[in-house]
Amino acid sequence: MTTIEIVEVSPRDGLQNEKTLLSTGDKLALIGKAIDAGVRRMEVASFVNPKKVPQMADAEAVMAGLPARDDVTYVGLALNERGFERAVAADVDEVNFAVMASDTFNRRNQGADAFETARQLTTIADNAQGKIPIGVTIGTAFGCPFEGEVSLYRVLSLVEAIAATLPREIALADTIGVATPRDVAERVGAVRDRYPDVPIRCHFHNTRNTGIANAWAAIEAGATTLDSSLGGVGGCPFAPAATGNIATEDLVYMLDRAGIATGLDLGACIDTAQWLEGKLGHAIPGQVMKAGGFPAPA
Ligand code: ZN
């Protein structure tokens, strides 16, 4: 049976764009429910400037409150050396280091050109000496809100710089939800062909309703891991009109029906998405959480 790994990103990407600040306790409750639903790899915090992203100001407190689980990989997001050091000090199991494919977005997000950030990553990876797994996400890999089209050449140049740091995985992220399945097939396929030994993760936002189709295209093109968030919450505070990630329960539904194992329980995902909607106090975008699975459970 084919297997696809899901990285739950609701505690980070999901909450960072919400006006409602969830308490540390509620974040930990969300994380606990996700684990109970079968999540085994989860982005739980972002080690960014708390003045810029106040929703993530309690990153260290979240890390300190996590259940000790050898079978769960807790991932922390970092955008620079300082963030990386904070993540390691907070005892994350893995760092997700993000670089934006477009210079304009990268300057707004992390104050440097993309290849400057890639050079920082080289230093970080050299210093870490493989002691902590580093996955690298290339944001705006399918388009930038400020520069428009991002060329495949640009993405592959950045992939080349990143691959040299020997990351555990490279992710292509559609930060602003502009990708279509054809773009995904092309870009994931191009990375896979050049770096067949580097696992590929994809991160999609459903801003233009192509998210779940993109997820399918990514799997067909050889991605082994997908990011998603319960209830489809999420968005980047630095991307205009940002909307949520693909919904975990929608993804699990599609993969269940295709005979692709994720280890996640659809019913528990739906329950958790509904719980999260209650905590946020507004409707959230997930669709299967409203319609239910099929066939209906006996
Ligand atoms: Zn995102």
Side-chain angles (χ1 to χ4, degrees):
M1 190 188 216
T2 315
T3 300
I4 287 291
E5 179 189 42
I6 291 181
V7 178
E8 176 59 35
V9 298
S10 60
R12 197 280 298 173
D13 202 332
L15 299 181
Q16 71 178 8
N17 209 36
E18 285 288 336
K19 285 186 192 73
T20 312
L21 274 169
L22 243 55
S23 68
T24 307
D26 281 343
K27 288 182 183 179
L28 291 169
L30 170 63
I31 290 163
K33 286 172 188 292
I35 293 170
D36 290 345
V39 169
R40 291 295 175 267
R41 193 172 167 210
M42 183 159 25
E43 201 164 86
V44 292
S46 174
F47 295 89
V48 292
N49 187 338
K51 288 198 191 89
K52 289 190 176 164
V53 190
Q55 292 90 336
M56 294 290 118
D58 60 348
E60 276 82 2
V62 169
M63 285 303 305
L66 292 172
R69 294 279 300 238
D70 290 342
D71 59 340
V72 179
T73 301
Y74 296 122
V75 183
L77 178 77
L79 304 177
N80 51 37
E81 206 156 359
R82 167 94 185 105
F84 182 85
E85 284 165 8
R86 277 179 64 202
V88 171
D91 208 19
V92 300
D93 297 317
E94 177 188 332
V95 173
N96 178 20
F97 191 90
V99 187
M100 299 293 145
S102 64
D103 281 328
T104 310
F105 202 104
N106 203 71
R107 267 184 234 120
R108 286 180 182 236
N109 207 43
Q110 41 224 88
D113 286 352
F115 280 89
E116 277 175 59
T117 300
R119 276 193 293 278
Q120 270 196 45
L121 170 66
T122 307
T123 310
I124 288 167
D126 282 351
N127 294 341
Q129 295 183 311
K131 283 185 196 125
I132 180 136
I134 305 173
V136 183
T137 297
I138 302 179
T140 63
F142 298 89
C144 168
F146 311 112
E147 294 184 13
E149 301 279 5
V150 172
S151 72
L152 175 59
Y153 175 79
R154 171 85 186 174
V155 172
L156 290 176
S157 305
L158 206 48
V159 168
E160 187 180 7
I162 291 163
T165 71
L166 306 177
R168 87 183 283 288
E169 164 191 81
I170 291 178
L172 298 183
D174 185 17
T175 310
I176 57 166
V178 291
T180 65
R182 190 206 58 163
D183 310 324
V184 173
E186 176 194 58
R187 294 187 177 206
V188 171
V191 175
R192 187 206 51 208
D193 289 350
R194 284 165 182 77
Y195 304 95
D197 300 330
V198 181
I200 301 174
R201 175 168 54 84
C202 284
H203 177 103
F204 296 118
H205 284 264
N206 196 34
T207 317
R208 291 171 178 80
N209 212 23
T210 54
I212 203 84
N214 289 340
W216 188 258
I219 292 168
E220 286 200 320
T224 54
T225 303
L226 291 166
D227 288 356
S228 62
S229 78
L230 287 156
V233 294
C236 175
F238 304 106
T243 53
N245 295 92
I246 54 171
T248 301
E249 65 281 4
D250 294 7
L251 180 61
V252 169
Y253 172 76
M254 177 176 76
L255 298 181
D256 276 357
R257 295 287 289 175
I260 297 173
T262 63
L264 273 66
D265 179 76
L266 180 61
C269 288
I270 291 173
D271 290 348
T272 306
Q274 290 170 345
W275 174 88
L276 179 58
E277 184 170 62
K279 284 288 166 191
L280 293 173
H282 62 80
I284 57 178
Q287 292 189 239
V288 172
M289 65 181 282
K290 300 172 185 108
F294 176 84

